[in-house]
């Protein structure tokens, strides 16, 4: 972990990318692109990486910018644990990155945190010096642990924000550390949410057309129901289902965010499906090899359907109507 003295060239390195980004992101941009993070504070030692925040109108719509930014040399981090409130990019390569970019909806409180913390350090020399000293200490302690370094700074950041009248919102690392998992019936417009679309991409195997088809299913088909699982206000899982002919509950989509797996999210979703759908009906689904371990652990019987596509084996899973899940199984 490298923390270097302030470099007067950093504002220029930001400006170079700002001008390009304001052109590239014009269809989605809400306001000016901002220089945030320690390199935005004159006189402050920092990791020599320029942090950039772009306030956008809609996080869901801004997902269309991912391939556009990719062509401009920005690499997206699709498994970012905080993808419910930002889209995260770097350039040019992970091992020698020079810039980070965050696309954040303009009214999201996380954006205000970034700009408020930056402004406080610019104005408060004592806070700036204390932060610089802390960063140097942590850089020695977490020489090769970028995530550990960032987490260790969070108490200082939270305290400074609190002094400015802002309660720092939690950054999601793993479900289960910030309170109980809650499962809710999704409102009709939830499919516009970036986190839900990301989970639908996991459930459908990715691809914009598949996600759009799933979104239309929940918007246009009144028999298709969607449940979402949240932790600390963040959407970390979903389950969609339909009751067919009053005889069968068909699971349409099930997904858990990668960083929240093995925390009971899937079991909580399945238990809620059993609670709100007629409990006497069997639950069935078609799935792939990656999911059958969880299906067996939660009481499903599994039968191979053979290779539905060349080299791709599919499975039918079924949970009897009398079966119940108790929430102890974990994915």
């Amino acid at each position: 972990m490298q923390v270097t003295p302030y470099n007067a060239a950093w504002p220029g390195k930001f400006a170079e990318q700002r001008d390009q980004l304001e052109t590239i992101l014009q269809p989605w941009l809400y306001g000016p692109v901002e220089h945030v993070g320690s390199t935005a504070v004159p006189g402050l030692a920092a990791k020599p990486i320029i942090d950039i925040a772009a306030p956008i109108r809609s996080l869901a719509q801004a997902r269309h910018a991912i391939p556009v930014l990719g062509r401009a040399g920005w690499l997206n981090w699709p498994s970012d644990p905080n993808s419910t409130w930002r889209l995260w990019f770097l350039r040019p390569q992970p091992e020698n990155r020079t810039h980070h970019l965050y696309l954040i909806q303009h009214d999201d409180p996380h954006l205000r945190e970034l700009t408020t913390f930056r402004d406080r350090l610019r104005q408060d020399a004592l806070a700036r010096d204390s932060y610089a000293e802390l960063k140097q200490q942590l850089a020695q302690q977490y020489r090769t642990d970028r995530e550990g370094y960032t987490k260790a700074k969070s108490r200082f950041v939270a305290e400074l924000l609190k002094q400015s009248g802002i309660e720092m919102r939690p950054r999601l690392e793993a479900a289960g550390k910030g309170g109980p998992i809650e499962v809710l019936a999704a409102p009709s417009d939830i499919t516009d949410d970036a986190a839900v679309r990301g989970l639908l991409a996991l459930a459908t195997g990715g691809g914009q057309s598949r996600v759009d088809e799933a979104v239309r299913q929940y918007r246009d088909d009144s028999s298709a129901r969607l449940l979402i699982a949240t932790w600390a206000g963040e959407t970390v899982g979903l389950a969609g289902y339909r009751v067919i002919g009053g005889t069968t509950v068909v699971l349409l989509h099930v997904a858990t965010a990668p960083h929240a797996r093995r925390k009971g999210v899937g079991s909580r979703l399945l238990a809620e499906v059993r609670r709100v759908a007629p409990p006497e009906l069997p639950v069935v689904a078609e799935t792939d090899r990656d999911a059958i371990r969880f299906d067996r652990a939660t009481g499903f019987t599994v039968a191979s359907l053979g290779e539905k596509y060349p080299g791709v084996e599919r499975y039918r899973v079924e949970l009897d109507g009398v079966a119940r899940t108790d929430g102890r199984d974990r994915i």
Side-chain angles (χ1 to χ4, degrees):
M1 185 62 57
Q2 181 187 21
V3 173
T4 66
Y6 179 77
N7 188 331
W10 287 340
K13 292 181 181 295
F14 159 71
E16 291 171 3
Q17 296 300 325
R18 176 199 60 204
D19 296 342
Q20 295 179 30
L21 288 168
E22 289 188 343
T23 299
I24 293 170
L25 296 174
Q26 191 275 330
W28 303 280
L29 206 58
Y30 179 85
V33 172
E34 299 261 12
H35 188 186
V36 295
S38 294
T39 61
V41 180
L44 180 61
K47 300 192 307 294
I49 300 171
I50 309 300
D51 289 308
I52 302 173
I56 39 91
R57 295 185 180 91
S58 162
L59 189 63
Q61 291 299 317
R63 290 192 173 276
H64 297 294
I66 293 175
V68 179
L69 287 165
R71 290 192 290 271
W74 289 95
L75 304 182
N76 176 234
W77 181 21
S79 58
D80 173 19
N82 293 290
S83 60
T84 54
W85 57 268
R86 71 182 182 188
L87 296 176
W88 192 99
F89 303 82
L90 64 79
R91 65 178 303 133
Q93 296 294 334
E95 64 274 12
N96 60 346
R97 63 189 74 185
T98 60
H99 294 73
H100 291 161
L101 170 64
Y102 317 109
L103 270 56
I104 307 175
Q105 193 159 300
H106 67 94
D107 55 356
D108 191 290
H110 293 94
L111 180 61
R112 186 182 175 209
E113 289 178 14
L114 289 172
T115 56
T116 299
F117 185 68
R118 173 202 63 194
D119 293 345
R120 175 66 186 275
L121 292 178
R122 284 175 172 176
Q123 299 161 8
D124 188 336
L126 181 59
R128 183 170 62 247
D129 292 344
S130 297
Y131 191 46
E133 183 178 354
L134 174 64
K135 284 155 62 75
Q136 293 287 1
Q137 293 173 355
L138 295 177
Q140 293 297 315
Q141 184 177 350
Y142 298 95
R143 291 173 183 265
T144 60
D145 184 358
R146 185 184 299 273
E147 291 186 8
Y149 170 83
T150 300
K151 286 171 59 178
K153 296 187 302 179
S154 62
R155 181 176 296 180
F156 181 95
V157 176
E159 179 58 32
L160 213 62
L161 287 172
K162 188 174 183 179
Q163 292 174 15
S164 301
I166 296 175
E167 289 292 333
M168 183 175 171
R169 293 172 63 86
R171 269 53 170 176
L172 187 60
E173 296 161 17
K177 292 185 178 180
I181 297 165
E182 297 181 340
V183 177
L184 310 167
S188 59
D189 61 351
I190 193 65
T191 47
D192 289 329
D193 182 83
V196 170
R197 292 184 71 93
L199 288 165
L200 286 172
L202 291 175
T204 60
Q208 189 65 45
S209 62
R210 292 182 180 181
V211 173
D212 289 344
E213 182 181 354
V215 166
R216 286 193 295 271
Q217 189 172 31
Y218 292 111
R219 282 181 177 168
D220 302 338
D221 184 349
S222 60
S223 68
R225 306 296 175 84
L226 188 64
L227 303 174
I228 58 170
T230 67
W231 175 86
E234 310 284 355
T235 302
V236 294
L238 61 76
Y241 69 95
R242 179 192 288 123
V243 178
I244 303 294
T247 62
T248 307
V249 179
V250 177
L251 285 178
L252 303 173
H253 303 101
V254 180
T256 300
H259 55 279
R261 289 175 182 165
R262 303 190 66 80
K263 304 297 180 184
V265 175
S267 294
R268 286 293 310 280
L269 285 163
L270 181 57
E272 187 66 9
V273 170
R274 300 302 276 146
R275 190 185 73 81
V276 298
E280 68 277 9
L281 301 184
V283 177
V284 301
E286 183 179 317
T287 189
D288 57 22
R289 180 178 294 275
D290 291 340
I292 59 176
R293 181 179 179 183
F294 167 72
D295 294 325
R296 286 193 173 108
T298 48
F300 283 87
T301 58
V302 179
S304 174
L305 297 174
E307 288 193 3
K308 194 167 184 179
Y309 313 103
V312 179
E313 186 174 10
R314 300 290 290 176
Y315 299 83
R316 173 186 168 87
V317 298
E318 181 170 345
L319 183 66
D320 291 340
V322 296
R324 294 290 185 271
T325 60
D326 60 9
R328 290 178 297 178
D329 302 304
R330 303 164 79 79
I331 63 171

